[in-house]
Coordinates of all heavy atoms in Angstrom, one line a residue:
V1 N 5.5 -8.7 0.9 CA 4.2 -9.3 0.5 C 4.4 -10.8 0.3 O 5.3 -11.2 -0.5 CB 3.6 -8.6 -0.7 CG1 2.3 -9.3 -1.1 CG2 3.3 -7.2 -0.4
L2 N 3.5 -11.6 0.9 CA 3.6 -13.1 0.6 C 2.5 -13.4 -0.4 O 1.4 -12.9 -0.3 CB 3.4 -13.8 1.9 CG 3.5 -15.4 1.9 CD1 4.1 -15.8 3.2 CD2 2.2 -16.0 1.7
Q3 N 2.8 -14.2 -1.4 CA 1.8 -14.5 -2.4 C 1.4 -16.0 -2.2 O 2.3 -16.9 -2.2 CB 2.3 -14.3 -3.8 CG 1.3 -14.7 -4.9 CD 1.8 -14.3 -6.2 OE1 2.1 -13.1 -6.5 NE2 1.9 -15.3 -7.1
L4 N 0.1 -16.2 -2.0 CA -0.4 -17.6 -1.8 C -1.2 -18.0 -3.0 O -2.2 -17.4 -3.4 CB -1.3 -17.6 -0.6 CG -1.8 -18.9 0.0 CD1 -0.6 -19.7 0.4 CD2 -2.7 -18.6 1.1
E5 N -0.7 -19.0 -3.7 CA -1.3 -19.4 -5.0 C -1.5 -20.9 -5.0 O -0.7 -21.7 -4.5 CB -0.3 -19.0 -6.1 CG -0.9 -19.3 -7.5 CD 0.0 -18.7 -8.6 OE1 0.9 -17.9 -8.3 OE2 -0.1 -19.2 -9.7
D6 N -2.7 -21.3 -5.4 CA -3.0 -22.8 -5.6 C -3.0 -23.5 -4.2 O -2.2 -24.5 -4.1 CB -2.1 -23.4 -6.6 CG -2.2 -22.9 -8.0 OD1 -3.3 -22.3 -8.3 OD2 -1.3 -22.9 -8.8
L7 N -3.7 -23.1 -3.3 CA -3.9 -23.9 -2.0 C -5.0 -24.9 -2.3 O -6.1 -24.5 -2.5 CB -4.3 -23.0 -0.9 CG -4.6 -23.7 0.5 CD1 -3.3 -24.4 1.0 CD2 -5.1 -22.7 1.5
V8 N -4.6 -26.1 -2.4 CA -5.6 -27.2 -2.8 C -5.4 -28.4 -1.9 O -4.3 -28.9 -1.7 CB -5.4 -27.6 -4.3 CG1 -6.5 -28.6 -4.6 CG2 -5.5 -26.4 -5.2
I9 N -6.5 -28.8 -1.3 CA -6.5 -30.0 -0.5 C -7.2 -31.1 -1.3 O -8.2 -30.9 -2.0 CB -7.3 -29.8 0.8 CG1 -6.7 -28.7 1.7 CG2 -7.4 -31.1 1.6 CD1 -5.3 -28.9 2.1
H10 N -6.6 -32.3 -1.3 CA -7.2 -33.4 -2.1 C -8.7 -33.6 -1.7 O -9.0 -33.5 -0.6 CB -6.4 -34.7 -1.8 CG -6.8 -35.9 -2.7 ND1 -8.0 -36.5 -2.6 CD2 -6.1 -36.5 -3.6 CE1 -8.0 -37.5 -3.5 NE2 -6.9 -37.5 -4.1
R11 N -9.5 -33.8 -2.8 CA -11.0 -33.8 -2.5 C -11.4 -34.8 -1.5 O -12.4 -34.6 -0.8 CB -11.7 -33.9 -3.8 CG -11.5 -35.1 -4.6 CD -12.4 -35.1 -5.9 NE -11.9 -34.1 -6.9 CZ -12.5 -33.0 -7.2 NH1 -13.6 -32.6 -6.6 NH2 -12.0 -32.2 -8.1
D12 N -10.7 -35.9 -1.4 CA -11.1 -36.9 -0.4 C -10.8 -36.5 1.1 O -11.2 -37.1 2.0 CB -10.3 -38.2 -0.6 CG -10.6 -38.9 -1.9 OD1 -11.6 -38.5 -2.5 OD2 -9.9 -39.8 -2.3
H13 N -10.0 -35.4 1.2 CA -9.6 -35.0 2.6 C -10.0 -33.5 2.9 O -9.5 -32.9 3.8 CB -8.1 -35.1 2.7 CG -7.6 -36.6 2.5 ND1 -7.8 -37.5 3.4 CD2 -7.1 -37.2 1.4 CE1 -7.4 -38.7 3.0 NE2 -6.9 -38.5 1.8
R14 N -11.0 -33.0 2.2 CA -11.5 -31.7 2.5 C -12.4 -31.7 3.7 O -12.9 -32.7 4.1 CB -12.2 -31.1 1.3 CG -11.2 -30.7 0.2 CD -11.9 -30.2 -1.1 NE -10.9 -30.2 -2.1 CZ -11.1 -30.0 -3.4 NH1 -12.4 -29.9 -3.8 NH2 -10.1 -30.1 -4.3
R15 N -12.6 -30.5 4.3 CA -13.4 -30.3 5.5 C -13.0 -31.1 6.7 O -13.8 -31.5 7.5 CB -14.9 -30.6 5.2 CG -15.4 -30.0 3.9 CD -15.5 -28.5 3.9 NE -16.6 -27.9 4.6 CZ -17.7 -27.4 3.9 NH1 -17.7 -27.3 2.6 NH2 -18.6 -26.8 4.6
K16 N -11.7 -31.3 6.8 CA -11.1 -32.0 8.0 C -10.1 -31.1 8.7 O -9.4 -31.6 9.6 CB -10.4 -33.3 7.5 CG -11.3 -34.3 6.9 CD -10.5 -35.5 6.5 CE -11.3 -36.6 5.8 NZ -10.5 -37.6 5.1
G17 N -10.0 -29.9 8.3 CA -9.1 -28.9 9.0 C -7.7 -28.8 8.4 O -7.0 -27.9 8.9
Y18 N -7.4 -29.5 7.4 CA -6.0 -29.4 6.8 C -5.8 -28.1 6.1 O -4.7 -27.5 6.3 CB -5.8 -30.6 5.8 CG -5.8 -31.9 6.4 CD1 -6.6 -32.9 5.9 CD2 -4.9 -32.2 7.5 CE1 -6.6 -34.2 6.5 CE2 -4.9 -33.5 8.0 CZ -5.8 -34.5 7.6 OH -5.8 -35.7 8.1
G19 N -6.8 -27.6 5.4 CA -6.7 -26.3 4.7 C -6.4 -25.2 5.8 O -5.6 -24.3 5.6
A20 N -7.2 -25.3 6.9 CA -7.0 -24.2 7.9 C -5.6 -24.3 8.5 O -5.0 -23.2 8.7 CB -8.1 -24.5 9.0
R21 N -5.1 -25.5 8.7 CA -3.8 -25.6 9.3 C -2.7 -25.0 8.3 O -1.8 -24.3 8.8 CB -3.4 -27.1 9.6 CG -4.2 -27.5 10.9 CD -4.1 -29.0 11.1 NE -2.7 -29.4 11.4 CZ -2.4 -30.7 11.6 NH1 -3.3 -31.6 11.6 NH2 -1.1 -31.0 11.8
L22 N -2.8 -25.3 7.0 CA -1.9 -24.8 6.1 C -2.0 -23.3 6.0 O -1.0 -22.6 6.0 CB -2.2 -25.3 4.7 CG -1.6 -26.7 4.4 CD1 -2.1 -27.2 3.0 CD2 -0.1 -26.7 4.4
L23 N -3.2 -22.7 6.0 CA -3.4 -21.3 5.9 C -2.9 -20.6 7.1 O -2.2 -19.6 7.0 CB -4.9 -21.0 5.6 CG -5.2 -19.6 5.2 CD1 -4.5 -19.2 4.0 CD2 -6.7 -19.4 5.0
E24 N -3.2 -21.1 8.3 CA -2.7 -20.5 9.5 C -1.2 -20.5 9.6 O -0.6 -19.6 10.1 CB -3.3 -21.2 10.7 CG -4.8 -20.9 10.9 CD -5.2 -19.4 11.0 OE1 -4.3 -18.6 11.5 OE2 -6.3 -19.0 10.6
H25 N -0.6 -21.6 9.0 CA 0.9 -21.6 9.0 C 1.4 -20.5 8.2 O 2.4 -19.8 8.6 CB 1.4 -23.0 8.5 CG 2.8 -23.1 8.4 ND1 3.6 -23.4 9.5 CD2 3.7 -22.9 7.4 CE1 4.9 -23.3 9.2 NE2 5.0 -23.1 7.9
A26 N 0.8 -20.3 7.0 CA 1.3 -19.2 6.1 C 1.1 -17.9 6.8 O 1.9 -17.0 6.7 CB 0.5 -19.3 4.8
I27 N -0.1 -17.7 7.5 CA -0.4 -16.4 8.2 C 0.7 -16.2 9.3 O 1.2 -15.1 9.4 CB -1.8 -16.4 8.7 CG1 -2.8 -16.3 7.5 CG2 -2.0 -15.2 9.6 CD1 -4.3 -16.6 7.9
S28 N 1.0 -17.2 10.1 CA 1.9 -17.0 11.2 C 3.3 -16.8 10.6 O 4.1 -16.0 11.2 CB 1.8 -18.0 12.2 OG 2.4 -19.2 11.8
F29 N 3.7 -17.4 9.5 CA 5.0 -17.2 8.8 C 5.1 -15.7 8.4 O 6.1 -15.0 8.7 CB 5.1 -18.1 7.6 CG 6.4 -17.9 6.8 CD1 7.5 -18.6 7.1 CD2 6.4 -17.0 5.8 CE1 8.7 -18.4 6.4 CE2 7.6 -16.8 5.0 CZ 8.7 -17.5 5.3
A30 N 4.0 -15.2 7.8 CA 4.0 -13.8 7.3 C 4.1 -12.8 8.5 O 4.8 -11.8 8.5 CB 2.7 -13.5 6.5
K31 N 3.4 -13.2 9.6 CA 3.5 -12.3 10.8 C 4.9 -12.3 11.4 O 5.4 -11.3 11.8 CB 2.5 -12.8 11.9 CG 1.0 -12.4 11.6 CD 0.1 -12.9 12.6 CE -1.3 -12.5 12.3 NZ -2.3 -13.2 13.2
D32 N 5.5 -13.5 11.5 CA 6.9 -13.6 12.0 C 7.8 -12.8 11.2 O 8.7 -12.1 11.8 CB 7.3 -15.1 12.0 CG 6.7 -15.9 13.1 OD1 6.0 -15.3 13.9 OD2 6.9 -17.1 13.0
K33 N 7.7 -12.8 9.9 CA 8.6 -12.1 9.0 C 8.2 -10.6 8.8 O 8.8 -9.9 8.1 CB 8.5 -12.7 7.6 CG 9.0 -14.2 7.6 CD 10.5 -14.3 7.7 CE 10.9 -15.8 7.6 NZ 12.3 -16.0 8.0
K34 N 7.1 -10.2 9.6 CA 6.6 -8.8 9.5 C 6.2 -8.4 8.1 O 6.5 -7.2 7.7 CB 7.6 -7.9 10.2 CG 8.0 -8.3 11.6 CD 8.6 -7.1 12.4 CE 9.1 -7.6 13.8 NZ 8.1 -8.3 14.6
F35 N 5.7 -9.3 7.3 CA 5.2 -8.9 6.0 C 3.9 -8.0 6.2 O 3.2 -8.1 7.2 CB 4.8 -10.2 5.2 CG 5.9 -11.1 4.8 CD1 5.7 -12.3 4.2 CD2 7.2 -10.6 4.9 CE1 6.7 -13.1 3.8 CE2 8.3 -11.4 4.5 CZ 8.0 -12.7 3.9
L36 N 3.7 -7.2 5.2 CA 2.6 -6.3 5.3 C 1.2 -7.0 4.9 O 0.2 -6.6 5.5 CB 2.8 -5.1 4.3 CG 3.9 -4.1 4.7 CD1 4.0 -3.0 3.6 CD2 3.6 -3.5 6.1
R37 N 1.2 -7.9 4.0 CA 0.0 -8.5 3.6 C 0.3 -9.8 2.9 O 1.4 -10.0 2.4 CB -0.9 -7.6 2.7 CG -0.2 -7.1 1.5 CD -1.1 -6.1 0.7 NE -0.3 -5.5 -0.4 CZ 0.5 -4.5 -0.3 NH1 0.6 -3.8 0.9 NH2 1.2 -4.0 -1.3
I38 N -0.8 -10.6 2.7 CA -0.7 -11.8 1.9 C -1.7 -11.6 0.8 O -2.9 -11.2 1.0 CB -1.2 -13.0 2.8 CG1 -0.3 -13.2 4.0 CG2 -1.2 -14.3 1.9 CD1 -0.7 -14.3 4.9
T39 N -1.2 -11.9 -0.4 CA -2.1 -11.8 -1.6 C -2.5 -13.2 -2.0 O -1.6 -14.1 -2.2 CB -1.4 -11.0 -2.8 OG1 -1.2 -9.7 -2.4 CG2 -2.3 -11.1 -4.0
L40 N -3.8 -13.5 -2.1 CA -4.3 -14.8 -2.5 C -4.6 -14.8 -4.0 O -5.3 -13.9 -4.4 CB -5.5 -15.1 -1.7 CG -6.3 -16.3 -2.1 CD1 -5.6 -17.6 -1.7 CD2 -7.7 -16.3 -1.5
L41 N -4.1 -15.8 -4.7 CA -4.5 -16.0 -6.1 C -5.2 -17.3 -6.2 O -4.7 -18.3 -5.8 CB -3.3 -16.0 -7.0 CG -2.6 -14.7 -7.2 CD1 -1.3 -14.9 -8.1 CD2 -3.5 -13.7 -7.9
T42 N -6.5 -17.3 -6.6 CA -7.2 -18.5 -6.8 C -8.1 -18.4 -8.0 O -8.6 -17.3 -8.3 CB -8.1 -18.8 -5.6 OG1 -8.9 -19.9 -5.8 CG2 -9.0 -17.6 -5.2
D43 N -8.3 -19.5 -8.7 CA -9.2 -19.5 -9.8 C -10.6 -20.1 -9.4 O -11.4 -20.4 -10.2 CB -8.7 -20.2 -11.1 CG -8.2 -21.6 -10.8 OD1 -8.6 -22.1 -9.7 OD2 -7.5 -22.2 -11.6
N44 N -10.8 -20.2 -8.1 CA -12.0 -20.8 -7.6 C -12.6 -20.0 -6.4 O -12.9 -20.6 -5.4 CB -11.7 -22.3 -7.2 CG -12.9 -23.1 -7.1 OD1 -14.0 -22.7 -7.4 ND2 -12.8 -24.3 -6.5
L45 N -12.6 -18.7 -6.6 CA -13.0 -17.9 -5.4 C -14.4 -18.1 -5.0 O -14.8 -18.0 -3.9 CB -12.7 -16.4 -5.7 CG -12.9 -15.5 -4.5 CD1 -12.1 -15.8 -3.3 CD2 -12.7 -14.0 -4.9
E46 N -15.3 -18.3 -6.0 CA -16.7 -18.4 -5.7 C -17.0 -19.6 -4.7 O -17.7 -19.4 -3.7 CB -17.6 -18.6 -7.0 CG -17.6 -17.4 -7.9 CD -17.9 -16.1 -7.1 OE1 -18.9 -16.1 -6.3 OE2 -17.2 -15.1 -7.3
A47 N -16.3 -20.7 -4.9 CA -16.5 -21.8 -4.0 C -15.7 -21.7 -2.7 O -16.2 -22.2 -1.7 CB -16.0 -23.1 -4.7
T48 N -14.6 -21.0 -2.8 CA -13.7 -21.0 -1.6 C -13.8 -19.8 -0.7 O -13.2 -19.7 0.3 CB -12.2 -21.3 -2.0 OG1 -11.8 -20.2 -2.9 CG2 -12.1 -22.6 -2.7
R49 N -14.6 -18.8 -1.2 CA -14.7 -17.5 -0.5 C -15.0 -17.7 1.0 O -14.3 -17.0 1.8 CB -15.8 -16.6 -1.1 CG -15.9 -15.3 -0.5 CD -17.0 -14.4 -1.1 NE -16.6 -13.7 -2.2 CZ -16.8 -13.9 -3.5 NH1 -17.6 -15.0 -3.8 NH2 -16.4 -13.2 -4.5
P50 N -16.0 -18.5 1.4 CA -16.3 -18.7 2.8 C -15.1 -19.1 3.7 O -14.9 -18.6 4.8 CB -17.4 -19.8 2.9 CG -18.0 -19.8 1.5 CD -16.8 -19.4 0.6
F51 N -14.3 -20.0 3.1 CA -13.1 -20.4 3.8 C -12.1 -19.3 4.1 O -11.7 -19.1 5.2 CB -12.4 -21.5 2.9 CG -11.1 -22.0 3.4 CD1 -11.0 -22.9 4.5 CD2 -9.9 -21.5 2.8 CE1 -9.7 -23.3 5.0 CE2 -8.7 -22.0 3.3 CZ -8.6 -22.8 4.3
Y52 N -11.9 -18.4 3.1 CA -10.9 -17.3 3.3 C -11.5 -16.2 4.1 O -10.8 -15.6 4.9 CB -10.4 -16.8 1.9 CG -9.6 -17.8 1.2 CD1 -10.0 -18.5 0.1 CD2 -8.3 -18.2 1.7 CE1 -9.3 -19.5 -0.6 CE2 -7.5 -19.1 1.1 CZ -8.0 -19.8 0.0 OH -7.2 -20.8 -0.6
L53 N -12.8 -16.0 4.0 CA -13.4 -14.9 4.8 C -13.3 -15.4 6.3 O -13.0 -14.5 7.2 CB -14.9 -14.7 4.5 CG -15.2 -14.0 3.1 CD1 -16.7 -14.0 2.8 CD2 -14.6 -12.6 3.1
K54 N -13.5 -16.6 6.5 CA -13.5 -17.2 7.9 C -12.1 -17.0 8.5 O -12.0 -16.8 9.7 CB -13.8 -18.7 7.9 CG -14.0 -19.4 9.2 CD -14.5 -20.8 8.9 CE -14.4 -21.7 10.1 NZ -14.9 -23.0 9.9
H55 N -11.1 -16.9 7.7 CA -9.7 -16.8 8.2 C -9.2 -15.3 8.1 O -8.0 -15.1 8.1 CB -8.8 -17.7 7.4 CG -9.0 -19.2 7.8 ND1 -8.4 -19.7 9.0 CD2 -9.8 -20.1 7.3 CE1 -8.9 -21.0 9.1 NE2 -9.7 -21.2 8.1
G56 N -10.1 -14.4 7.9 CA -9.7 -13.0 8.0 C -9.4 -12.3 6.7 O -9.0 -11.1 6.7
F57 N -9.5 -13.0 5.5 CA -9.2 -12.4 4.3 C -10.3 -11.4 3.9 O -11.5 -11.7 4.2 CB -9.0 -13.4 3.2 CG -7.6 -14.0 3.2 CD1 -7.2 -14.9 4.2 CD2 -6.7 -13.8 2.2 CE1 -6.0 -15.5 4.2 CE2 -5.4 -14.3 2.2 CZ -5.1 -15.2 3.2
V58 N -10.0 -10.3 3.2 CA -11.0 -9.4 2.7 C -10.8 -9.3 1.2 O -9.7 -9.5 0.6 CB -10.8 -8.0 3.3 CG1 -11.2 -8.1 4.8 CG2 -9.4 -7.4 3.1
E59 N -11.9 -8.9 0.5 CA -11.9 -8.8 -1.0 C -11.0 -7.6 -1.4 O -11.0 -6.6 -0.7 CB -13.3 -8.6 -1.5 CG -14.2 -9.7 -1.1 CD -14.5 -10.7 -2.2 OE1 -13.9 -10.5 -3.3 OE2 -15.1 -11.7 -1.9
S60 N -10.3 -7.8 -2.5 CA -9.5 -6.7 -3.0 C -10.0 -6.3 -4.4 O -10.5 -7.2 -5.1 CB -8.0 -7.1 -3.1 OG -7.3 -6.2 -3.9
T61 N -9.9 -5.0 -4.8 CA -10.3 -4.6 -6.1 C -9.2 -4.9 -7.1 O -9.4 -4.8 -8.3 CB -10.6 -3.1 -6.1 OG1 -9.5 -2.4 -5.6 CG2 -11.9 -2.8 -5.3
M62 N -8.0 -5.3 -6.7 CA -6.9 -5.5 -7.6 C -7.1 -6.8 -8.3 O -7.6 -7.8 -7.7 CB -5.6 -5.6 -6.8 CG -5.2 -4.3 -6.2 SD -3.5 -4.3 -5.5 CE -2.5 -4.0 -7.0
R63 N -6.8 -6.8 -9.6 CA -7.0 -8.1 -10.4 C -5.6 -8.4 -11.1 O -5.0 -7.5 -11.6 CB -8.1 -7.9 -11.5 CG -9.4 -7.7 -10.8 CD -10.5 -7.7 -11.8 NE -10.6 -9.0 -12.5 CZ -11.2 -9.1 -13.7 NH1 -11.8 -8.1 -14.3 NH2 -11.2 -10.3 -14.2
P64 N -5.2 -9.6 -11.0 CA -3.9 -10.0 -11.6 C -3.9 -10.1 -13.1 O -4.9 -10.5 -13.7 CB -3.6 -11.3 -10.9 CG -4.9 -11.9 -10.6 CD -5.9 -10.8 -10.4
M65 N -2.8 -9.8 -13.7 CA -2.5 -10.1 -15.1 C -1.2 -10.8 -15.1 O -0.4 -10.7 -14.2 CB -2.5 -8.9 -16.0 CG -3.9 -8.3 -16.1 SD -3.8 -6.8 -17.2 CE -3.5 -7.5 -18.8
R66 N -1.0 -11.6 -16.2 CA 0.3 -12.3 -16.3 C 1.0 -12.1 -17.6 O 0.4 -12.0 -18.6 CB 0.1 -13.8 -16.1 CG -0.1 -14.2 -14.7 CD 0.0 -15.7 -14.5 NE 0.0 -16.0 -13.1 CZ -0.7 -16.9 -12.5 NH1 -1.4 -17.7 -13.3 NH2 -0.7 -17.1 -11.2
Y67 N 2.3 -12.1 -17.5 CA 3.2 -12.2 -18.7 C 4.0 -13.4 -18.5 O 4.8 -13.5 -17.6 CB 4.1 -10.9 -18.8 CG 5.0 -11.0 -20.0 CD1 4.6 -10.5 -21.2 CD2 6.2 -11.6 -19.9 CE1 5.4 -10.5 -22.3 CE2 7.1 -11.7 -21.0 CZ 6.7 -11.2 -22.2 OH 7.5 -11.2 -23.3
H68 N 3.9 -14.4 -19.4 CA 4.6 -15.6 -19.3 C 6.0 -15.5 -19.9 O 6.1 -15.4 -21.1 CB 3.9 -16.8 -19.9 CG 2.6 -17.1 -19.2 ND1 2.6 -17.9 -18.0 CD2 1.3 -16.8 -19.4 CE1 1.4 -18.0 -17.6 NE2 0.6 -17.4 -18.3
V69 N 7.0 -15.4 -19.1 CA 8.4 -15.1 -19.5 C 8.9 -16.4 -20.2 O 9.6 -16.3 -21.2 CB 9.3 -14.7 -18.3 CG1 10.7 -14.4 -18.8 CG2 8.7 -13.4 -17.7
A70 N 8.6 -17.5 -19.6 CA 9.1 -18.8 -20.1 C 7.9 -19.8 -20.2 O 6.9 -19.7 -19.5 CB 10.1 -19.4 -19.2
N71 N 8.0 -20.7 -21.1 CA 7.0 -21.8 -21.2 C 7.1 -22.7 -20.1 O 8.3 -23.0 -19.6 CB 7.1 -22.6 -22.5 CG 6.7 -21.7 -23.7 OD1 5.8 -20.9 -23.6 ND2 7.4 -21.8 -24.8
A72 N 6.0 -23.3 -19.6 CA 6.1 -24.2 -18.5 C 6.9 -25.5 -18.9 O 7.5 -26.1 -18.0 CB 4.7 -24.6 -18.0
G73 N 7.0 -25.8 -20.1 CA 7.8 -26.9 -20.6 C 7.1 -28.2 -20.7 O 6.5 -28.9 -20.1
Ligands
COA1 C1 -10.6 -24.4 0.1 C2 -9.9 -25.5 0.7 C3 -8.4 -25.3 0.6 C4 -10.2 -25.6 2.2 O1 -9.5 -26.7 2.8 P1 -10.2 -27.7 3.8 O2 -9.2 -28.6 4.4 O3 -11.3 -28.4 3.0 O4 -10.9 -26.7 4.8 P2 -10.9 -26.9 6.4 O5 -11.4 -28.3 6.8 O6 -9.7 -26.4 7.0 O7 -12.0 -25.8 6.8 C5 -13.3 -26.1 6.5 C6 -14.1 -24.8 6.7 O8 -13.9 -23.8 5.7 C7 -15.1 -23.4 5.1 N1 -15.1 -24.1 3.8 C8 -14.2 -24.8 3.2 N2 -14.5 -25.2 2.0 C9 -15.7 -24.7 1.8 C10 -16.6 -24.7 0.7 N3 -16.3 -25.3 -0.4 N4 -17.8 -24.1 0.8 C11 -18.1 -23.5 2.0 N5 -17.3 -23.4 3.1 C12 -16.1 -24.0 3.0 C13 -16.2 -23.9 6.0 O9 -16.4 -22.9 7.0 C14 -15.6 -25.1 6.6 O10 -16.0 -25.4 7.9 P3 -17.1 -26.6 8.1 O11 -16.6 -27.8 7.4 O12 -17.2 -26.7 9.6 O13 -18.4 -26.1 7.4 C15 -10.2 -26.9 0.1 O14 -11.6 -27.1 0.2 C16 -9.8 -27.0 -1.4 O15 -8.7 -27.4 -1.7 N6 -10.7 -26.6 -2.3 C17 -10.5 -26.5 -3.7 C18 -9.6 -25.3 -4.0 C19 -9.4 -25.1 -5.5 O16 -10.1 -25.7 -6.3 N7 -8.5 -24.2 -5.8 C20 -8.2 -23.9 -7.1 C21 -6.8 -23.6 -7.3 S1 -6.4 -22.1 -6.5

């Protein structure tokens, strides 16, 4: 399983295809490695849902929880 977290394009450069290129790279990497799935973690799904739907992502009922083993510092 590949985990994709915090895919962010600088606001001055959005809607120019860079996000699509990064995402397609991750998808083809996962296919090459024969991974079963990619799990996307985002705190901005409402705004970015159309982008991920367009690239073949589907909604999951799974919700993440975290245990912070170490402080970020
Ligand atoms: C989502 C994101 C990665 C997309 O990257 P991008 O380079 O802007 O997207 P692309 O140019 O490759 O693709 C654009 C297409 O995706 C869809 N899309 C992208 N952002 C969208 C938005 N905010 N609303 C609706 N559709 C959107 C549209 O179909 C769009 O095509 P269009 O411009 O012809 O309408 C980028 O907008 C981003 O970084 N957003 C903020 C993400 C964020 O806050 N993350 C929180 C941390 S996880």
Side-chain angles (χ1 to χ4, degrees):
V1 177
L2 186 146
Q3 181 173 302
L4 188 62
E5 184 172 344
D6 296 336
L7 176 64
V8 185
I9 302 299
H10 189 288
R11 61 179 72 254
D12 293 350
H13 299 286
R14 289 179 191 163
R15 313 294 279 254
K16 294 176 183 171
Y18 295 124
R21 285 170 63 181
L22 280 173
L23 191 58
E24 289 303 330
H25 180 79
I27 291 169
S28 75
F29 178 89
K31 285 180 178 168
D32 285 352
K33 300 285 184 190
K34 304 200 186 309
F35 291 170
L36 290 177
R37 59 185 172 272
I38 299 174
T39 295
L40 169 73
L41 286 177
T42 174
D43 56 14
N44 196 11
L45 186 60
E46 291 314 311
T48 58
R49 181 183 275 107
F51 172 77
Y52 292 108
L53 289 176
K54 187 173 171 178
H55 289 277
F57 280 70
V58 294
E59 304 261 353
S60 167
T61 55
M62 293 185 85
R63 298 187 60 199
M65 290 180 71
R66 282 197 172 133
Y67 178 91
H68 292 280
V69 180
N71 290 325

